[in-house]
Amino acid sequence: QVQLVESGGGLVQTGGSLRLSCAASGRTFGGYTMGWFRRAPGKEREFVAAITWSGGGTYYGESVKGRFAISRDNAKNTVYLQMNSLKPEDTAVYSCAAAPDVIATTQIQYDYWGQGTQVTVSS
C-alpha cells in the first residue's frame, strides 16, 4: 500500500501561483509514476500532469501546458505541482496518484490515490 497526502491548496486570485505537495508513505515510493488529477464541480476527473520515477519524463494535460510544472524529490517521497498563471477554470479538487506504468496519463492506470486538496481561483 502507498498512502498519499496532498497539501498546499487554497484560495488565490487570477494570475496567482500555488505549489501543491503530495507526500507518500507506506510501500516504497520507488518505481512509481506519480500524477496529478483534478475534478471541478459537475465535471469529470481530468488529467493534469505526470512524472516518471526518474523524473526524466513529464506529461501535461492540454489545459495546463506552459503554466504548470510537475517535479519530484524521491529522497523525500514527495511530488510537487507548481501552478502559475492560475485561472478561475483551474478551480477544482486536486488529487495525486501513483501508477506502476511508466507512462500514465489516464486515471485507470493509477492504483493509489490521495484525498485531494481544494484549489480555488477567484476572478
Side-chain angles (χ1 to χ4, degrees), residues 48-122:
V48 176
I51 186 167
T52 57
W53 156 245
S54 68
T58 56
Y59 309 89
Y60 295 93
E62 287 298 322
S63 61
V64 306
K65 279 183 180 177
R67 300 188 298 123
F68 290 12
I70 189 170
S71 61
R72 65 190 294 165
D73 184 339
N74 290 336
K76 295 182 178 179
N77 287 350
T78 301
V79 62
Y80 306 97
L81 184 68
Q82 178 66 44
M83 305 186 295
N84 300 323
S85 302
L86 283 161
K87 306 174 182 179
E89 50 264 44
D90 294 318
T91 295
V93 175
Y94 285 71
S95 299
C96 69
D101 298 332
V102 175
I103 300 174
T105 59
T106 61
Q107 55 184 311
I108 196 172
Q109 294 175 278
Y110 287 81
D111 293 338
Y112 303 103
W113 292 83
Q115 291 296 311
T117 185
Q118 177 71 46
V119 171
T120 303
V121 185
S122 63

